[in-house]
Amino acid sequence: MQAYHVPSSAGLLKLDAMENPYVWPEELRQKWLQVLKEVPINRYPDADAAALKERLRTVLAIPDYVSIMLGNGSDELIQIIALALARSDRTYLAPEPGFVMYRLISQTVNTGFCGVQLNPDDFSMERTAMLSAIEERQPALIFIAYPNNPTGNLFDREIVLDVIKHAPGLVVIDEAYHAFAGASFMEYLDDFDNLLVMRTLSKSGLAGLRLGYLLGKSAWLDELEKIRLPYNINSLSQKSAEFILSHYEVLADQAASICRNRKELYRQLSETDGIKAWPSAANFILFRTLGLDANRIFTGLKARGVLIKNLHGSHSLLQNCLRVTVSTEKENTVFIDILRQIIQSYH
Ligand SMILES: *Cc1c(COP(=O)(O)O)cnc(C)c1O
């Protein structure tokens, strides 16, 4: 195996990891520091993070029949679920190209993994391909990122519902980009006993905090709790998340700005010669360089101080593909200007 590699971003405009570019207003930061000052850091955290869960339930309108489990980022939740169901004669399944951690974590828990290819043109989910892979492989666990990373699209709801109905095991809908998508499977949690919904605060401006949450019926979450380490969410994260959730409008406004900027960035990318961009329901945009080597574009951007994600070589459907995080208007303009200069210098 290879360890998950995080490239150095020192001195670069960081548009590679779907971080929120906005900071909180100064007054709010001061209030936050007051809260942190009172945290008893000599004591272990609340192992249940009860106050934080209550705050999440209220602010995000999580229904009473849904239980909540917290993870140190949703990556940890993926690991916990994968550990809970792991057996060397089992298979986990996810559409691909998709989020790389599903495959990586399946390997670490010594369980098989089946990637089901998406439609090469628009990265939509193909009903027949998914259902026949499910029939054949009988996966104990299916991950579906909604919207998908790195392609940015929302899969057809009816097809996903069909997948949930036909799955012999658990289905996790990973809504990491929920804040930008305006679509969710939370409303279906009551209808299916094999469904869990996972989200994270990372893409909403709290990537440094590491807080993911899993929603589902207690029959599942009570079992998964047996694997969670008792103090996985530290006191500073708990109090910080509680604090910002009580000012949720700040995060919601930032998400709304990012959605406006996404529209503009998508337009600019689409109007750029030699670029094909795909529409996105997330805070990033996937694009392909046409007749140009994406490696060269990536390296050229980096040499001029802009770091994005190079996906060329990561999957056969992602030839000459790059992914850029939607940032502030100003940073998006810096990116698009440099990108256009590099493309011009080709001719
Ligand atoms: C970023 C991302 C995650 C991981 O989020 P963390 O909460 O920061 O661990 C999970 N799933 C998808 C699809 C992502 O893009």
Side-chain angles (χ1 to χ4, degrees):
M1 290 181 68
Q2 302 237 300
Y4 185 82
H5 173 65
V6 180
S8 163
S9 56
L12 298 173
L13 175 54
K14 199 168 182 309
L15 302 177
D16 65 326
M18 283 77 91
E19 291 146 330
N20 174 341
Y22 298 110
V23 293
W24 302 345
E26 181 55 27
E27 192 193 344
L28 203 60
R29 292 161 72 91
Q30 288 304 328
K31 275 199 204 163
W32 173 47
L33 288 180
Q34 292 306 316
V35 170
L36 290 186
K37 219 168 89 183
E38 303 303 326
V39 176
I41 207 73
N42 57 318
R43 305 291 178 195
Y44 280 105
D46 173 0
D48 290 328
L52 171 54
K53 283 186 195 167
E54 248 343 279
R55 188 67 53 86
L56 273 169
R57 187 179 290 285
T58 315
V59 175
L60 300 167
I62 298 167
D64 284 339
Y65 61 84
V66 173
S67 292
I68 306 174
M69 178 177 177
L70 301 179
N72 197 275
S74 43
D75 282 352
E76 188 190 42
L77 292 168
I78 298 170
Q79 188 181 50
I80 287 171
I81 303 164
L83 269 172
L85 301 178
R87 230 168 59 184
S88 58
D89 61 349
R90 284 186 174 164
T91 300
Y92 297 161
L93 181 148
E96 281 194 331
F99 186 49
V100 292
M101 294 309 281
Y102 306 147
R103 183 182 278 273
L104 196 76
I105 290 175
S106 302
Q107 279 180 322
T108 65
V109 299
N110 193 26
T111 297
F113 183 85
C114 169
V116 181
Q117 200 168 300
L118 295 170
N119 183 310
D121 301 322
D122 59 2
F123 303 110
S124 57
M125 184 181 278
E126 294 190 324
R127 190 193 305 261
T128 326
M130 272 307 264
L131 295 187
S132 53
I134 289 169
E135 175 69 25
E136 191 185 325
R137 304 294 293 268
Q138 294 290 306
L141 173 60
I142 299 175
F143 290 106
I144 295 175
Y146 183 84
N148 191 37
N149 172 12
T151 57
N153 55 317
L154 286 167
F155 297 127
D156 184 296
R157 181 175 292 254
E158 293 306 317
I159 299 181
V160 175
L161 287 171
D162 258 3
V163 165
I164 299 167
K165 284 176 202 153
H166 286 86
L170 190 58
V171 179
V172 176
I173 307 291
D174 181 348
E175 299 185 349
Y177 301 95
H178 167 255
F180 316 100
S184 173
F185 275 80
M186 187 159 79
E187 64 185 277
Y188 297 104
L189 284 172
D190 201 23
D191 301 340
F192 299 104
D193 285 333
N194 63 335
L195 176 64
L196 298 178
V197 168
M198 186 172 68
R199 293 185 189 162
T200 175
L201 295 184
S202 291
K203 285 35 189 243
S204 299
L206 299 162
L209 210 60
R210 310 303 299 130
L211 190 74
Y213 56 100
L214 188 63
L215 306 173
K217 295 215 176 101
S218 57
W220 276 106
L221 296 201
D222 289 351
E223 297 304 311
L224 296 174
E225 281 287 348
K226 296 173 183 174
I227 291 184
R228 182 181 66 84
L229 295 173
Y231 303 114
N232 64 330
I233 314 297
N234 74 68
S235 315
L236 296 173
S237 289
Q238 288 188 32
K239 284 295 164 208
S240 300
E242 262 183 78
F243 171 78
I244 197 61
L245 285 169
S246 59
H247 298 90
Y248 193 65
E249 69 287 350
V250 175
L251 299 187
D253 286 350
Q254 292 181 345
S257 299
I258 290 169
C259 288
R260 281 193 298 275
N261 300 349
R262 172 180 71 197
K263 196 172 170 204
E264 178 61 14
L265 182 61
Y266 174 72
R267 190 184 62 78
Q268 290 178 316
L269 275 168
S270 302
E271 287 172 359
T272 302
D273 278 343
I275 296 290
K276 172 183 170 53
W278 280 272
S280 169
N283 65 339
F284 59 84
I285 296 176
L286 179 77
F287 62 97
R288 171 172 284 147
T289 57
L290 307 170
L292 307 167
D293 177 4
N295 289 327
R296 266 183 70 187
I297 303 283
F298 173 78
T299 314
L301 280 161
K302 201 169 165 187
R304 290 166 179 78
V306 180
L307 182 65
I308 62 169
K309 178 82 175 175
N310 185 3
L311 295 162
H312 182 74
S314 67
H315 188 278
S316 60
L317 297 192
L318 296 177
Q319 291 218 13
N320 285 313
C321 282
L322 300 162
R323 185 192 68 199
V324 63
T325 306
V326 177
S327 187
T328 60
E329 276 177 89
K330 198 171 154 214
E331 291 189 353
N332 293 342
T333 305
V334 171
F335 158 74
I336 205 88
D337 287 349
I338 296 177
L339 176 71
R340 286 176 176 172
Q341 283 165 26
I342 295 169
I343 291 173
Q344 295 245 307
S345 71
Y346 250 101
H347 301 306

